[in-house]
Amino acid sequence: MPGQGLPLRVATLLTGLLECLGFAGVLFGWASLVFVFKTEHYFEELCEPVVGPMGNVTGEADCKAQDERFSLIFTLGSFMNNFMTFPAGFIFDRFKTTVARLIAIFLYTSATLTIAFTSADSALLLFLAMPMLTVGGILFLITNLQVGNLFGKHRSTIITLYNGAFDSSSAVFLVIKLLYEQGVSLRASFIFLSVCSAWHVGRTFLLMPRGHIPYPLPPNYSYGLVPGTDTTEGEKNTAESDKVEMQTKEFPPAKEETLEPGRKQEHRSFWRYALSQRFACHLVWLSVIQLWHYLFIGTLNSLLTNLAGGDRALVSTYTNAFAITQFFGVLCAPWNGLLMDRLKQKYQKEAKNTGSSATTVALRSAVPSLALTSLLCLGFALCASVPILPLQYVTFILQVISRSFLYGGNAAFLTLAFPSEHFGKLFGLVMALSAIVSLLQFPIFTFIRGPLQNDPLYVNVMLILATVLTFVHPIMVYWECRQEWGSPATA
């Protein structure tokens, strides 16, 4: 890393971290924002008075339809957050960083201005604003994940750090809720978020490349303020050649990798990887765990209201506690990346003796991360299924750690298990397909509130069993690595 480039790269890293922390994943602080919306009487016309056994109207109201409306908005927003990652990844791969970021800024600013000027009478605009907010945020994340390429062996740590910051940005809606309780209007808070778009524009042109940040970096790579120094196509080819040369030096090539040119080109095709068993297992692993998190976040306000017996002060206290724990996602996620980086360095030394390929070394380092994420989700699911209000503090802690490991581990696994030139498309595809599964959260919520009469026991048991099945993914990856370990020895 050239000495003169270090300050610029550190500035890019820190401002990218701030961007992800303050803007990328704010949707997942939805429970805090719902509390404000209910105070502002959004969709309150859907509440119906409760009729007593004698036909008299009690002072309570049945707001099941209101809760369903908020749940539907979150379902749509979270679906778009994942589903639009695929076209967002394509835009990033095809049109590169500057175009992708300008689209993100346009969507984000339009969304924040729409929410700022929305009232209870025009609450239906939230169905438009929240998806735009989430798509803009995911584009911010995708364009920032490549910053890890600037820091070589710390790549996985930085990728997971950025994903942790994405999770922690949900605390932004908590800040808006607390400011609202102190007299700051919802409109003023979202206008401030809109004004911050000027900062995004400045960072786009001053601290980010126009194209992509290659990995590994070519000699004397520079970007940002200096015009005309982004990586050209020739530099990209040099980077690919350097990458192949580096892998050849570090890892003796396995037999399966010494193919003729025509077959090697086929091996690196996008659809070959997208239709592989490895990708399918990863998709199921991500979809099941993500469904748990989305269902929990989207129905948290309703869950806390039931457990607290309708006490709004108690609901507010637990909502704040949940949002505060979300902020610590940025501190939890790097441990996952650090674990993967350390294991990768350890296995690289062993690979020199066994002749294992670079891909196998990367996969071995991902196995403990995948298994630990499944274990954390299982603990979170078990605690969330117990209808005891104080136990939800433990649920909040396990949920934020599990979610930080999930998304950081997802991005890191894709960078380690598949070629870098397909990362944007594969990342977008796995998020888009998992989004379809996440749509189940709304029918599950209506099923619990309707036929099950607010008793989620049977649904929780089924989801816990599905969570246990996610351990198949790390087992399959481990078995795949074991098969490769034995091949050089037997050759």
Side-chain angles (χ1 to χ4, degrees), residues 93 259-279 417-423 425-426 429:
D93 285 347
L259 302 174
E260 60 269 23
R263 190 174 175 186
K264 185 175 182 180
Q265 182 66 28
E266 178 189 0
H267 181 70
R268 297 187 69 84
S269 69
F270 166 70
W271 288 110
R272 184 180 182 93
Y273 291 107
L275 299 176
S276 65
Q277 176 182 293
R278 182 189 301 172
F279 185 81
F418 302 99
S420 59
E421 64 264 27
H422 298 312
F423 170 74
K425 294 182 287 292
L426 288 173
L429 181 61

Side-chain angles (χ1 to χ4, degrees), residues 168-191:
S168 296
S169 64
S170 59
V172 170
F173 283 169
L174 169 65
V175 174
I176 291 176
K177 174 181 178 291
L178 295 176
L179 290 174
Y180 178 82
E181 292 173 341
Q182 296 302 315
V184 179
S185 68
L186 194 65
R187 175 170 298 179
S189 295
F190 276 94
I191 288 177

Side-chain angles (χ1 to χ4, degrees), residues 180-298:
Y180 178 82
E181 292 173 341
Q182 296 302 315
V184 179
S185 68
L186 194 65
R187 175 170 298 179
S189 295
F190 276 94
I191 288 177
F192 174 78
L193 290 178
S194 302
V195 172
C196 288
S197 295
W199 180 76
H200 297 311
V201 173
R203 184 170 180 271
T204 298
F205 290 103
L206 301 179
L207 292 175
M208 293 293 287
R210 290 190 294 273
H212 297 139
I213 300 175
Y215 180 80
L217 289 177
N220 300 320
Y221 175 77
S222 57
Y223 64 96
L225 287 171
V226 184
T229 54
D230 269 12
T231 305
T232 62
E233 290 299 321
E235 286 174 323
K236 286 183 180 179
N237 294 334
T238 302
E240 288 299 322
S241 300
D242 291 344
K243 183 176 181 180
V244 173
E245 181 180 355
M246 180 190 68
Q247 291 180 354
T248 304
K249 288 179 179 178
E250 289 188 353
F251 309 103
K255 283 189 172 183
E256 67 206 32
E257 294 178 351
T258 58
L259 302 174
E260 60 269 23
R263 190 174 175 186
K264 185 175 182 180
Q265 182 66 28
E266 178 189 0
H267 181 70
R268 297 187 69 84
S269 69
F270 166 70
W271 288 110
R272 184 180 182 93
Y273 291 107
L275 299 176
S276 65
Q277 176 182 293
R278 182 189 301 172
F279 185 81
C281 287
H282 186 69
L283 172 63
V284 174
W285 175 84
L286 174 66
S287 299
V288 172
I289 298 178
Q290 181 178 256
L291 178 61
W292 253 119
H293 288 284
Y294 280 3
L295 183 64
F296 182 75
I297 295 172

